[in-house]
Amino acid sequence: MQAEPSLYFALVTVLALLIPFTMHLFFLRGCGLFRETELLQKGVFFSVLFGLLPLAALCYFWATRVGSNSTTGVIVSMLYLLLVYILAGYVYFHFFNMSETARRVRLLIESSKTGTLKKNDLPRLYPHQDIISIRIERLTALGELRLSGDRYVLGNKALLLPAKLIFTLRHILFPNADF
Amino acid sequence: MFSLRIIFLGIGLFLVAFASHIAVWRIVKPSKQMLWLTIVFIVLPIGGWLIFSAVAGPHSEDGAGWTATPLDTFLILLLNLLLSAAYIMSYPPIQAGCPSLKIILAVNDSRAEGMTAEAIHRIFSEDILVSERLEDMVNDGLIFVKRDIAGDDLVSLKNETIVISWKGYLIAQMFALYRRILNLPLGKG
């Protein structure tokens, strides 16, 4: 019995979800690329970008071998796959970022080592100064900040719009919050 | 087989959930935010869609309406799930005010003059950076804080001990495993 084209499409969609992680794994472990601290986030970005190649192969396979009979059906299904892939890439980027930069994840990992953690020990394990210094270092490596003399100025401004958007949403959801 | 309706319905479900999220947060301000985000963005849309399909399905048999096939339902709910996941992943900086983005906005406000490293450090108090995150984690059931009653410093709460919950332990182990799979050291936070 031949499987339904719709079943193939569901399978292609699920495979598309796995591409960002698989590509990232391939770059890090297979090629040894993007392992330096300053390249970690760029590595995820390039994994999602290069993942468009296997996605295109999946789309081609589905459209030529199994796909819908109508051209409109094929175009709409490709649009859906692209949307799903971009969202999967965005979610994966944030998941990786959480593992790399989230204070909560760091605190959880520190606590999970022994099960308990004295609050007194926190400044030693996770110094306040380090939290900021690491971020300044990371933003400089990403080109978001640029050192001019002894002062930091804005670099490529790629994160400026997301920053404004995030703080606007914060203002809508938590009008009394400290900014 | 495949219509734009699937994309519109997936996005529509997310927008309804997003509007409900703003309303709930402005009115109730839930303390267990991760639980409520899951309810608003995942449980309600899936439940709502299944109820809507069950109610609307029989009326469409006259040919005027549209009945979602199991694949349509899967694709609509998957799109809604991914949009919700994208928002939920972006939520921690919205809730906690991401330090990196705060630095960008502060440096942007300083214009061409820029900011020294010391000035950037002064934007943040220790409370905002660590203590508030600990409170969030307590509210989300990831850790609990035990006060050492034999301690002599109860006023400043310096003798508190952070105890990780099973849920927090699972999340910590999941991230540790993920970093091991990537062959990367643990993140610096």
Side-chain angles (χ1 to χ4, degrees):
Chain A
M1 196 178 95
Q2 204 176 353
E4 278 272 311
S6 59
L7 206 60
Y8 277 111
F9 189 72
L11 185 67
V12 165
T13 310
V14 172
L15 287 175
L17 296 176
L18 302 174
I19 293 175
F21 169 67
T22 315
M23 286 302 288
H24 193 208
L25 199 61
F26 171 71
F27 278 134
L28 283 172
R29 295 203 78 141
C31 309
L33 293 171
F34 305 116
R35 302 194 59 82
E36 297 82 358
T37 313
E38 64 274 17
L39 294 178
L40 285 172
Q41 271 123 334
K42 278 184 186 163
V44 185
F45 175 77
F46 280 107
S47 303
V48 175
L49 195 66
F50 279 97
L52 286 169
L53 293 173
L55 181 75
L58 273 180
C59 287
Y60 180 78
F61 167 78
W62 186 80
T64 54
R65 304 277 172 90
V66 200
S68 165
N69 290 330
S70 77
T71 315
T72 319
V74 170
I75 292 171
V76 176
S77 54
M78 296 300 109
L79 183 70
Y80 178 88
L81 272 179
L82 187 65
L83 193 58
V84 160
Y85 179 73
I86 291 169
L87 285 168
Y90 180 83
V91 170
Y92 181 70
F93 180 79
H94 274 282
F95 183 79
F96 176 77
N97 245 357
M98 273 176 83
S99 81
E100 179 65 22
T101 68
R103 284 163 288 167
R104 276 178 266 211
V105 172
R106 167 82 187 265
L107 289 168
L108 279 180
I109 288 177
E110 290 294 347
S111 330
S112 75
K113 285 177 185 165
T114 52
T116 61
L117 199 62
K118 281 275 181 205
K119 226 176 168 183
N120 281 352
D121 295 335
L122 273 179
R124 181 177 53 81
L125 292 166
Y126 198 21
H128 168 253
Q129 293 297 311
D130 280 10
I131 300 174
I132 306 305
S133 303
I134 290 167
R135 280 162 176 78
I136 294 175
E137 218 174 276
R138 221 178 261 145
L139 289 169
T140 311
L142 283 170
E144 291 297 326
L145 295 182
R146 192 165 44 80
L147 203 52
S148 166
D150 66 337
R151 289 175 172 272
Y152 287 95
V153 291
L154 225 49
N156 59 30
K157 296 187 180 179
L159 284 176
L160 185 59
L161 188 66
K164 286 183 175 172
L165 187 68
I166 291 282
F167 279 87
T168 305
L169 271 170
R170 182 166 158 79
H171 182 70
I172 293 170
L173 291 171
F174 309 101
N176 302 320
D178 169 36
F179 292 91
Chain B
M1 169 209 159
F2 204 103
S3 77
L4 267 178
R5 202 186 319 236
I6 288 169
I7 297 177
F8 288 138
L9 282 169
I11 295 173
L13 267 182
F14 169 74
L15 290 178
V16 171
F18 187 71
S20 318
H21 160 61
I22 292 178
V24 171
W25 259 244
R26 291 296 290 253
I27 298 164
V28 187
K29 289 181 192 158
S31 60
K32 294 185 181 223
Q33 300 198 22
M34 279 302 151
L35 176 72
W36 275 95
L37 281 175
T38 313
I39 291 172
V40 169
F41 281 100
I42 295 172
V43 178
L44 286 182
I46 291 177
W49 175 257
L50 293 177
I51 291 168
F52 171 78
S53 303
V55 173
H59 297 292
S60 61
E61 282 171 5
D62 56 2
W66 173 72
T67 312
T69 63
L71 177 75
D72 294 337
T73 296
F74 169 73
L75 297 175
I76 289 165
L77 293 181
L78 179 70
L79 186 56
N80 167 70
L81 194 72
L82 281 169
L83 283 164
S84 301
Y87 178 72
I88 292 172
M89 295 301 264
S90 311
Y91 183 76
I94 297 171
Q95 180 210 358
C98 171
S100 298
L101 299 182
K102 217 168 173 177
I103 292 172
I104 296 222
L105 289 179
V107 174
N108 181 54
D109 288 344
S110 72
R111 309 221 172 252
E113 196 186 322
M115 288 177 86
T116 60
E118 291 72 34
I120 294 174
H121 276 86
R122 278 198 300 273
I123 305 170
F124 303 94
S125 71
E126 198 172 336
D127 267 5
I128 288 175
L129 288 174
V130 178
S131 303
E132 286 188 5
R133 298 297 63 78
L134 287 175
E135 268 173 46
D136 295 336
M137 287 158 70
V138 170
N139 288 334
D140 287 327
L142 301 177
I143 55 167
F144 51 95
V145 178
K146 250 177 25 185
R147 188 183 289 185
D148 176 7
I149 49 166
D152 57 358
D153 194 13
L154 291 178
V155 178
S156 65
L157 306 180
K158 287 283 183 193
N159 287 316
E160 288 176 339
T161 303
I162 296 163
V163 183
I164 193 163
S165 70
W166 66 268
K167 207 162 49 166
Y169 184 80
L170 276 182
I171 291 175
Q173 291 307 306
M174 180 191 73
F175 276 106
L177 175 69
Y178 168 65
R179 299 291 290 201
R180 269 204 302 278
I181 291 172
L182 293 181
N183 197 20
L184 289 175
L186 293 172
K188 290 178 184 168

